[in-house]
Amino acid sequence: MSTDTPGIDPLQALRAPRDPACDVFLTGPVFLDIIFTGLDSAPVRGTESWARGMGSSPGGVANMATALARLGLHTSLAAAFGDDHYGEYCWDALEQGEGIDLSMSHTVPGWHSPVTVSMAYEGERTMVSHGHEAPAPTGTAAPAHAPAHAPAPAPAFPHCPPRARAAVASLAPGRSEPWVATAARNGALIFADVGWDETGRWDLDALPDLAHCEAFLPNAEEAMRYTRTDCPRAAAHALAERVPLAVVTLGAEGAYAVDGRTGAAAAVPAIEVEALDPTGAGDVFVAGFVTGTLADWPLADRLAFAGLTAALSVQEFGGSLSAPGWTEVAAWWQLIRTCDRQDPAALERYAFLDDLLPASARAWPLRRAVPTIGFRQ
């Protein structure tokens, strides 16, 4: 993460004394990600491959939490951490390095942290993961990694998620998470993505928590399968009959969204970039869209910003390592306006950034320090 990120609060004009302290709440497994970079091709069976670079960072749900926090949102994460060095490293990186609230998180004695090894090459990545599901938290024991002066912990999650402006959930067929309904009843806007349906049914009624969602953000293939349509835009309109906001990501073609309340639609093309590693790009897109929605931007601006942050992320290696902050956004906007032969209409699409960004920014491209276990930044 850049250490000089401008202190931009996208919600500053909307904050009021009685608002919740938490902007976005999320939960899920945290992995230790070890990323090998500089591979010219996929590893070959029976041989040893040497990578020219390596980094490590918290992964899993930490990708989304980091992306939200770097965009200036007060982020609370409920997760299990192992009491090993990996867990201690991830806790410290998220709490101290990113400013993420971990008061709802807990450490599990004797449980080792899940690990993912990611190999990035040819614009794609191959991952190998290992881990066991963490036992459910019980009681109100203080987190092992928390400082001695930390406040008393809240009731054990998932029974009492904190009051928040928004929450991010990952839907799965046949599964309902009680905390989602609780968060929605307490006023949180629920933003949800979804994974591949291994059952092959692709039944929206099998996603019970969809009824609590403000926004649903599947990719084009998922959206078309769930709606039995053959066009991503038609799929978005069909989904907008089930949720207030339907957002379908189209990969290299950008994204399309429909506001189910008003019928308004917006399409934004993708920004052409040289992709080094797509890990975490979907999480960054959601984080950008959540930011714009909570800031009450127009729908097209939200889509454009989400697409921009995702495009910036794929130009770096790693998941949470690559999540951009306002420094990266400002540097990109400064650069793109000075390039010759820019399409005026394309530049106008991002003109809303002028009111958000500082007058000066560092030169682009930026290079981040890559955290590694055992070294202090």
Side-chain angles (χ1 to χ4, degrees), residues 24-29 60-61 64 157 167-181 189-197 206-210 213 215-218 222 226 282-283 286:
V24 187
F25 169 76
L26 66 167
T27 184
V61 73
M64 177 80 72
F157 179 80
V168 180
S170 184
L171 307 185
R175 188 185 75 193
S176 178
E177 298 287 352
W179 72 266
V180 174
L189 301 178
I190 309 298
F191 296 77
D193 59 12
V194 69
W196 191 259
D197 186 357
L207 304 176
D209 289 335
L210 190 63
C213 290
F216 184 43
L217 300 95
E222 294 159 349
Y226 270 116
D283 294 325
V286 174

Side-chain angles (χ1 to χ4, degrees), residues 335-359:
L335 170 70
I336 208 70
R337 288 180 297 173
T338 61
C339 293
D340 295 333
R341 299 182 300 278
Q342 288 293 338
D343 179 0
L347 287 178
E348 181 63 24
R349 172 63 271 152
Y350 296 91
F352 68 93
L353 294 174
D354 281 332
D355 295 330
L356 294 167
L357 300 173

Side-chain angles (χ1 to χ4, degrees), residues 251-252 254 268-286 288 303-318 322-324 328-329 332 336 350 364 368:
V268 174
I271 297 173
E272 293 185 11
V273 295
E274 181 182 353
L276 294 180
D277 182 3
T279 304
D283 294 325
V284 172
F285 182 94
V286 174
L303 276 189
F305 185 73
L308 168 60
T309 54
L312 295 178
S313 76
V314 301
Q315 296 178 87
E316 301 277 354
F317 288 108
S322 67
E328 287 77 19
V329 174
W332 174 84
I336 208 70
Y350 296 91
W364 179 267
R368 297 186 184 90

Side-chain angles (χ1 to χ4, degrees), residues 115-186:
V115 176
T116 291
V117 174
S118 176
M119 292 162 282
Y121 53 88
E122 299 175 354
E124 291 293 340
R125 83 281 200 202
T126 298
M127 297 181 289
V128 178
S129 298
H130 173 72
H132 303 282
E133 185 174 354
T138 57
T140 56
H145 301 309
H149 60 274
F157 179 80
H159 306 297
C160 188
R163 183 167 165 258
R165 295 173 186 265
V168 180
S170 184
L171 307 185
R175 188 185 75 193
S176 178
E177 298 287 352
W179 72 266
V180 174
T182 302
R185 284 195 302 269
N186 290 339

